[in-house]
Amino acid sequence: MTSPTAKTIQIYLPTGEPRGIRIAEITTRIVQAVLIPRSDLAQGKLRKELDLPGIYFLFGEGEDEAKPIVYIGQTEDARKRFDRHNKTKTFWKTAVFCVSKTQNFTQAHIRYLEWYCMQRAKEVNRYSLDNGQVPDNSTYVPEPMEAELLDVFETVSTLVSTLGYPVFEPVVKQSSSSIIFYCRGGGSEGKGELVEDGFVVHEGSKARMEVVTSAIASVTPRRDKLRSAGVMEERNGEYVFTQDYLFTSPSTAAAVVLGRSANGWVEWKDKNGATLSEVHRDDEAETGDEE
C-alpha cells in the first residue's frame, strides 16, 4: 500500500437520496464505484454503469457472525449476477460495483482484480470473506498490466472505504503516535487503542473467563460470537485474543475483557494511569457506564 496522499472524491446522488444509490470517483482516476442498496436493486439495475465488466462487493452482516461479511466477485453481466445473488445470498444489504470510466476493463483485468481483492481482504481479516476457498495464485497477466491493476486496486480500495466499507484497511494502523491503553482486573489483561471507528483490542490480550451474573445477558453472547469466529480461544483457564479485533466502543471492549458491565472511557488507562477519557476527551472521567 502506498502512503496516503490528499485526494478529491466526487460522490453523485442520482436519486437525491444520501443513503440511496451513490456514484463515487476520484476525478483524476479511471475507476468509478456504484453503490446500490439491496432495497434499491431494481432502480440500480437501470444504471448504465452495469453494462460494463467490473468487480463487485456484497456487504452485510450475519446474526451469528463476529465480523461484517463481504463477498467479492467479477462479472461481465452485473444485472444477471445481482439477480442471482438476490435469490441465493441472504446476508448482504449493499452492493458496490467498480468499473472503468474509460471502458477498458477486459475479462483478464477483472479476474486479476477479483483475485487480488480476495487476497487482500483475507490478509487484512477485517471482514469475514464469504467466497470460500481463495486460490493462491492469480491467472497470468503481463507485468505492465499487473502494475496498472495494482494502481487500480488502490483507487478501488479508497472508493470502497469512502463509501463506508473499509474492507482493505487494517483495524490497527502502524503509527508511532498511537497511544496504547490497558484494561486489567480479575485476571484479565487487555491491551488496545482508540481508532477512527471504535476501539481495537490487540492480539494476545487476555479476558477473564467468568462473567458476573448481571452481565451474562450482554457479555456472554458477544463472547460466544468471538469464540465461534476464532477471535478468542480458551488457553490455560483464560480467554486469549488470537487477532486484533475492532469493537464499536471502548465500553463494549472493556466489558468483554473484564466479564462485566464497564465504562471503557474509565477502565482503559495508558501506561501512566491516565484514563481514555482524560487522554482523548480532555475532560474528567465520568463514573457512569457509557458507550
Side-chain angles (χ1 to χ4, degrees):
M1 300 287 284
T2 58
S3 299
T5 57
K7 300 175 179 67
T8 297
I9 296 177
Q10 175 179 289
I11 297 180
Y12 170 58
L13 310 177
T15 66
E17 293 292 337
R19 305 302 299 171
I21 298 170
R22 281 163 271 170
I23 317 296
E25 62 182 82
I26 298 175
T27 53
T28 58
R29 299 296 185 97
I30 69 167
V31 179
Q32 194 170 51
V34 183
L35 181 148
I36 304 173
R38 190 170 188 170
S39 58
D40 293 335
L41 184 58
Q43 191 172 18
K45 288 192 299 180
L46 300 176
R47 296 295 309 177
K48 59 182 178 56
E49 293 86 0
L50 272 65
D51 295 334
L52 304 173
I55 61 167
Y56 65 91
F57 307 85
L58 303 179
F59 293 105
E61 298 177 351
E63 291 184 3
D64 299 323
E65 294 289 334
K67 299 178 182 179
I69 305 171
V70 62
Y71 178 89
I72 301 172
Q74 54 81 21
T75 183
E76 295 181 271
D77 190 341
R79 295 180 182 85
K80 183 176 180 180
R81 187 66 59 86
F82 288 158
D83 280 341
R84 183 187 309 164
H85 289 321
N86 197 32
K87 294 178 181 178
T88 61
K89 291 187 179 294
T90 59
F91 77 88
W92 68 280
K93 298 178 181 178
T94 306
V96 179
F97 186 52
C98 297
V99 299
S100 167
K101 293 188 291 183
T102 55
Q103 303 184 23
N104 69 341
F105 281 175
T106 66
Q107 190 174 75
H109 288 110
I110 60 177
R111 283 184 174 178
Y112 182 88
L113 286 170
E114 175 193 41
W115 170 81
Y116 191 78
C117 286
M118 287 192 293
Q119 289 287 337
R120 288 291 296 148
K122 181 180 178 182
E123 178 184 336
V124 170
N125 200 25
R126 185 170 185 145
Y127 283 63
S128 294
L129 191 60
D130 189 62
N131 290 79
Q133 187 66 28
V134 179
D136 293 329
N137 300 310
S138 69
T139 54
Y140 172 77
V141 294
E143 186 175 351
M145 181 186 292
E146 182 176 33
E148 177 187 355
L149 290 174
L150 292 179
D151 185 64
V152 166
F153 168 78
E154 294 294 335
T155 305
V156 168
S157 175
T158 299
L159 292 176
V160 172
S161 182
T162 299
L163 289 169
Y165 301 96
V167 61
F168 302 116
E169 295 185 19
V171 293
V172 175
K173 297 178 182 179
Q174 300 302 320
S175 171
S176 58
S177 62
S178 297
I179 302 174
I180 305 303
F181 291 86
Y182 304 87
C183 184
R184 300 184 176 97
S188 60
E189 191 172 344
K191 179 181 177 182
E193 62 186 279
L194 191 69
V195 296
E196 293 153 328
D197 43 4
F199 191 92
V200 173
V201 175
H202 288 177
E203 177 183 352
S205 292
K206 299 176 182 178
R208 175 189 178 191
M209 286 197 67
E210 296 80 14
V211 177
V212 300
T213 303
S214 61
I216 287 176
S218 58
V219 174
T220 300
R222 288 192 176 106
R223 284 185 164 188
D224 289 344
K225 287 183 179 182
L226 295 178
R227 292 178 63 195
S228 296
V231 175
M232 288 172 58
E233 64 180 34
E234 183 178 346
R235 297 179 188 170
N236 302 320
E238 57 192 4
Y239 288 137
V240 179
F241 282 76
T242 62
Q243 57 190 263
D244 295 336
Y245 184 77
L246 174 66
F247 287 92
T248 55
S249 74
S251 294
T252 303
V256 169
V257 169
L258 296 171
R260 59 174 172 80
S261 298
N263 178 355
W265 290 97
V266 175
E267 299 286 357
W268 291 100
K269 299 177 181 179
D270 69 10
K271 63 181 180 180
N272 298 317
T275 67
L276 183 66
S277 181
E278 291 169 332
V279 172
H280 282 290
R281 298 200 297 194
D282 194 24
D283 198 0
E284 293 184 1
E286 299 175 7
T287 57
D289 185 27
E290 182 177 328
E291 291 296 322

